[in-house]
Amino acid sequence: MWLADANYVGAVVNAGGMGFITPRSFPTVDDYRAQLHKCREITEGKPFGVNIYVSARPEANEELAVFLDVAIEEKVEFVETAGFSPKAFMPKIKDAGITVIHKCTTLRHAQSAVRAGVDAITILGAEAGGHPGMEMIGGIVQGAVVPEGLDVPVVLAGGLGTGRQLIAALALGADGILLGSRMTVAEEIWADEKYKQRIKEISQSDTRIVMSVFNDNSRVLDNATSRAVNELEEQGITDFEQYRPFVQGPNQREAYATGDFDRGTLSMGQSAAFATEIASVEKIFDDILNDAIVARDRLAGLDPN
Ligand SMILES: Cc1cc2nc3c(=O)[nH]c(=O)nc-3n(C[C@H](O)[C@H](O)[C@H](O)COP(=O)(O)O)c2cc1C
């Protein structure tokens, strides 16, 4: 959210990954459409995706049909659904021939999304930035359990940022990995340099879970705002209006624009530990792949006897 624009997604695709533009990041539907055009230009026609975050609140989902219609008109090849069940949107997406990857946090939700027709699953571990779910199952368990329980490709996510973890994910049975927090220091991310410098400095200990009180765990950067939110939760306050000034989306945009990283609840996972250098997407991918080769060779040299 806010960061996945055409420049970033285009760079991810050109470096050999798959990226997803977040439609809500742009002020109008026309601006979102313009980003799809720009991404098509940057990638010279290569496939890319759009993220559709399905809310528990139906009124928040009204825009999603419009976002999908635009993606279909613009012949976007991939959709990542996340949050709640994508079932209501599946006929529209599948009729358009789009490949759907649903991102979720339990095997049960994954199985139900597969029954609804999604083509692949991204399974999140508790380490993940953003919404790691209420059961908070660790990635090492998700990776071993979920691919076994499904007959579609599975992408593992949450806490990942190195090539040795990529090899571990493949060894567990996953078909790929998804990186969120690790990528926030990419040169192609438009956020202010001060924000990226902060992410570079922090470790796996510098995140917090907020909004558990609303059954909506969110893993965010440990900052003045997330500490204030945790204080409201500790006081047992359940009136959302008291949280709104801290958690509303525009604060996050402001934080990225100004580099004031104490502002807003900013999605961030434990994999921030691996975001140690501001570098191009291509360099980040190269570093991960080089690390993966070292890990693969190390395993190849182990004597099982
Ligand atoms: C800054 C930031 C913004 C995110 N925004 C979204 C979003 O808009 N929609 C979504 O489905 N996931 C979002 N996520 C979650 C990621 O897509 C991904 O699930 C998560 O980052 C994976 O865990 P990791 O952070 O340990 O790599 C965001 C994550 C970060 C770090």
Side-chain angles (χ1 to χ4, degrees):
M1 184 60 185
W2 302 119
L3 303 178
D5 63 3
N7 278 336
Y8 170 66
V9 170
V12 166
V13 167
N14 283 342
M18 174 50 61
F20 303 93
I21 287 182
T22 44
R24 281 209 173 95
S25 301
F26 312 105
T28 68
V29 172
D30 284 345
D31 292 313
Y32 154 55
R33 191 190 293 273
Q35 291 287 317
L36 299 183
H37 288 177
K38 190 171 173 194
C39 195
R40 196 60 85 192
E41 271 169 38
I42 294 172
T43 58
E44 297 175 344
K46 288 195 273 302
F48 64 88
V50 160
N51 169 279
I52 297 290
Y53 194 88
V54 186
S55 169
R57 293 176 297 122
E59 69 278 11
N61 293 332
E62 277 162 22
E63 287 170 304
L64 298 184
V66 178
F67 294 154
L68 274 176
D69 285 340
V70 172
I72 291 165
E73 283 159 28
E74 299 301 333
K75 302 192 168 33
V76 168
E77 292 87 347
F78 285 84
V79 162
E80 176 191 59
T81 52
F84 279 75
S85 171
K87 197 170 173 184
F89 302 97
M90 287 309 294
K92 191 191 267 275
I93 304 176
K94 292 315 291 179
D95 283 354
I98 292 176
T99 301
V100 190
I101 306 175
H102 182 63
K103 190 169 64 178
C104 56
T105 60
T106 66
L107 175 61
R108 192 166 41 85
H109 288 138
Q111 286 167 331
S112 127
V114 170
R115 278 196 301 276
V118 305
D119 300 285
I121 290 290
T122 296
I123 192 76
L124 290 171
E127 304 91 332
H131 297 273
M134 292 310 290
E135 294 189 20
M136 298 294 271
I137 302 163
I140 196 91
V141 173
Q142 299 283 43
V145 167
V146 176
E148 288 260 291
L150 297 174
D151 55 7
V152 297
V154 174
V155 173
L156 186 61
L160 306 179
T162 65
R164 49 203 186 275
Q165 291 170 307
L166 166 59
I167 296 296
L170 297 176
L172 287 170
D175 300 280
I177 60 171
L178 170 77
L179 306 169
S181 305
R182 173 72 186 88
M183 303 307 295
T184 55
V185 290
E187 275 165 8
E188 293 86 348
I189 291 277
W190 63 266
D192 187 89
E193 204 74 2
K194 290 191 284 298
Y195 164 77
K196 296 185 195 177
Q197 288 293 345
R198 178 66 184 157
I199 304 307
K200 251 180 71 175
E201 284 164 12
I202 63 173
S203 79
Q204 63 280 9
S205 300
D206 296 310
T207 73
R208 281 175 172 259
I209 297 290
V210 295
M211 305 304 271
S212 311
V213 81
F214 297 104
N215 263 337
D216 189 21
N217 279 353
S218 193
R219 190 181 288 284
V220 296
L221 185 66
D222 182 357
N223 66 6
T225 308
S226 58
R227 286 193 284 272
V229 170
N230 276 167
E231 272 167 33
L232 291 179
E233 293 184 87
E234 276 156 28
Q235 289 166 33
I237 294 168
T238 55
D239 169 22
F240 181 75
E241 288 313 311
Q242 296 197 43
Y243 291 80
R244 191 187 294 280
F246 297 105
V247 302
Q248 61 196 358
N251 293 352
Q252 299 154 21
R253 200 189 175 287
E254 262 316 285
Y256 297 134
T258 61
D260 177 2
F261 50 76
D262 266 321
R263 211 171 165 157
T265 43
L266 305 176
S267 291
M268 187 51 58
Q270 296 173 343
S271 48
F274 309 119
T276 52
E277 183 194 15
I278 300 171
S280 67
V281 168
E282 193 173 4
K283 163 91 168 48
I284 294 172
F285 284 6
D286 282 349
D287 287 350
I288 290 173
L289 290 176
N290 287 333
D291 188 48
I293 290 165
V294 172
R296 184 196 62 190
D297 292 351
R298 179 175 170 271
L299 291 183
L302 293 181
D303 182 352
N305 300 310

